[in-house]
Amino acid sequence: MFGPRGVCFTGKDGPFFVADTGHHRLLGWRTVPTEDNQPADLLIGQPNFSTEGRNARGDANAATLNMPTGLATDGRRLAIADAWNHRVLIWRTMPEQSNQPADIVLGQSSFSSVQPNRGLGRAGPDTLNWCYGVTIADGKLYVADTGNRRILVWNSIPDRCGQPADLVLGQIGMALRDDNAGSGASAIGMRWPHAVAVVDGKILVADAGNSRIMVWNGLPNADGAPASFVVGQATFDANDHNKGSYYPTDSSLQMPYGLAVVDGTLICADTANSRLIGFRLQGLDMNAAAAALAGQHAFGDKGDNRWRFAARDSLCWPFAVAACGALMAVADTGNNRVLLWEAAA
C-alpha cells in the first residue's frame, strides 16, 4: 500500500475494503483478513494489482479513482470519497468483481467530469471540492466536503447521479465555502473537516484544521446550525494545535482526521500526534478528557512510531479508523499499512 486513508467493514465476516490512496485504487477482501499480508481478492481503479496512476492513467469513468479516501457502507451499498475527482461514487450493491463500475456519482454531472465544484467557481448543493470523508448512518449520507469547508447531508441515500444534498453544516448557505464560515473558529464554521461519525443521534465531525471534534446533540434541521460543543479545545473560538502546546494532553488534539465508535467509546485518529485517543460517549461534553490511548505510552507523548521504527503497537499519521463489534481497523497512513486490532475490554 501507499498512504492508505480509508478502511471499511461490511460485517464481521466481510467483505473488508481499503482505500489505497496513493495507488489510486480500492482493495477488497471477501472475508476480513486474519493473517499478516493476506492478499486482496479484488480491486477497483486499476487494470491489475501491479499498476497505479490517477484514473488508471486515462480519463475518469465509473471505475477509476484519483486519491480515494473515505469509505462507508450500510451493509448493502458501498460509497467512496474519490477526493481528487471531486466526487463520491456509490455502488447499489457490494462490488463482487474487480473494476465493477459504480452506479451513482455525486458532485459531478457525469462519471467523466472531474472539475472542483463542477467548474462553477462556487459551491452548490450538488457540487464537491476535495471531498475526503463519507458516512452512511440511519439511512442518511454524510459527506465531508473538505475543500468547501462543510458537511453535506442527504436525508436518504441518493438514487440518481448528481442528486443535490438536503442540508449543509459548516456554512450558512449551500453556495458558500469560506474557511471557518468567513470568520474565526466558532460553533458554526469548519476548517478542513475530514470525517463524520453518527451515534445515539449525535453528529460528530473531525474538524482537522481547527484541531477539534465538533458535536451536534441531534441532526439540525437548518443550514449552518451551530455545534452543541467541541472536544479538543476549551472554547469554540480556539483552534491551536494541542491547545498551543508542543506536547499533547488527554484533552487536546492535533489535526484529527478519523472517527469511529467502539462499545460506547469514540475513537479518534489524532493524526499529527500519531496516536488513537478514546473518549467515553457517556457524559461527553465541552473539552472532555480522554480515557483510552493507543500508539503512544502516555497522553503527553507524541512522535511518529514514538520516534523509533514501526511496531505492532505504533502509529505514523493514522488517517482513518473503522469498527465492527470489538474489531477495529486503522489506516496507518505514514507506515503504508492497515492495522487490525481487537479493542481492549
Side-chain angles (χ1 to χ4, degrees):
M1 300 178 188
F2 179 23
R5 293 192 181 189
V7 285
C8 181
F9 293 99
T10 304
K12 63 183 181 64
D13 298 320
F16 176 72
F17 293 97
V18 171
D20 186 13
T21 307
H23 286 141
H24 310 287
R25 65 183 185 174
L26 175 67
L27 297 176
W29 286 257
R30 299 190 190 283
T31 59
V32 176
T34 57
E35 299 178 355
D36 288 347
N37 296 317
Q38 187 171 326
D41 299 303
L42 60 88
L43 85 161
I44 291 172
Q46 301 296 338
N48 55 62
F49 285 107
S50 62
T51 60
E52 59 85 38
R54 298 177 182 180
N55 291 315
R57 300 182 183 272
D59 295 329
N61 60 51
T64 69
L65 299 165
N66 185 1
M67 292 293 287
T69 50
L71 292 167
T73 183
D74 60 0
R76 181 165 62 92
R77 291 161 289 207
L78 180 70
I80 186 168
D82 188 16
W84 285 14
N85 280 330
H86 311 287
R87 66 184 187 177
V88 169
L89 298 178
I90 299 175
W91 285 260
R92 289 193 178 99
T93 59
M94 212 59 58
E96 295 182 351
Q97 59 188 14
S98 290
N99 286 318
Q100 182 174 328
D103 300 297
I104 296 170
V105 61
L106 301 177
Q108 303 290 353
S109 60
S110 70
F111 287 108
S112 61
S113 301
V114 296
Q115 291 298 310
N117 288 321
R118 299 195 183 195
L120 299 175
R122 58 168 175 77
D126 57 355
T127 77
L128 295 168
N129 180 26
W130 286 338
C131 46
Y132 282 102
V134 61
T135 296
I136 298 174
D138 301 331
K140 296 178 174 60
L141 176 71
Y142 300 79
V143 174
D145 188 16
T146 310
N148 285 326
R149 284 83 173 178
R150 65 183 186 174
I151 302 297
L152 292 179
V153 184
W154 283 259
N155 288 332
S156 60
I157 307 303
D159 57 8
R160 67 182 189 276
C161 292
Q163 185 171 328
D166 299 297
L167 178 74
V168 62
L169 300 176
Q171 304 289 350
I172 60 173
M174 289 283 189
L176 304 175
R177 57 181 304 270
D178 292 329
D179 186 51
N180 280 325
S183 62
S186 70
I188 295 175
M190 303 172 181
R191 174 181 289 168
W192 217 243
H194 202 271
V196 181
V198 181
V199 58
D200 297 334
K202 287 183 169 62
I203 314 299
L204 304 103
V205 173
D207 182 16
N210 286 321
S211 292
R212 66 185 187 177
I213 301 167
M214 302 179 74
V215 183
W216 286 259
N217 284 329
L219 180 64
N221 57 13
D223 291 344
S228 305
F229 61 92
V230 297
V231 175
Q233 302 287 354
T235 61
F236 282 117
D237 60 354
N239 65 354
D240 287 334
H241 298 330
N242 289 326
K243 297 181 177 177
S245 173
Y246 177 76
Y247 290 104
T249 68
D250 60 358
S251 65
S252 70
L253 299 167
Q254 185 174 1
M255 298 175 66
Y257 277 88
L259 298 174
V261 175
V262 178
D263 192 25
T265 298
L266 173 67
I267 306 297
C268 173
D270 189 15
T271 306
N273 284 323
S274 291
R275 66 180 185 173
L276 301 182
I277 189 168
F279 300 89
R280 303 299 185 209
L281 286 169
Q282 186 173 5
L284 188 69
D285 57 11
M286 195 85 174
N287 198 33
L293 176 73
Q296 302 290 345
H297 292 310
F299 284 113
D301 295 339
K302 64 181 297 183
D304 306 344
N305 294 315
R306 301 191 293 270
W307 305 122
R308 299 182 63 83
F309 298 109
R312 282 188 179 270
D313 62 348
S314 76
L315 297 164
C316 180
W317 282 68
F319 265 80
V321 286
C324 182
L327 186 62
M328 189 167 61
V330 181
D332 188 16
T333 309
N335 284 324
N336 303 302
R337 66 185 184 177
V338 168
L339 299 176
L340 283 90
W341 271 325
E342 288 282 352

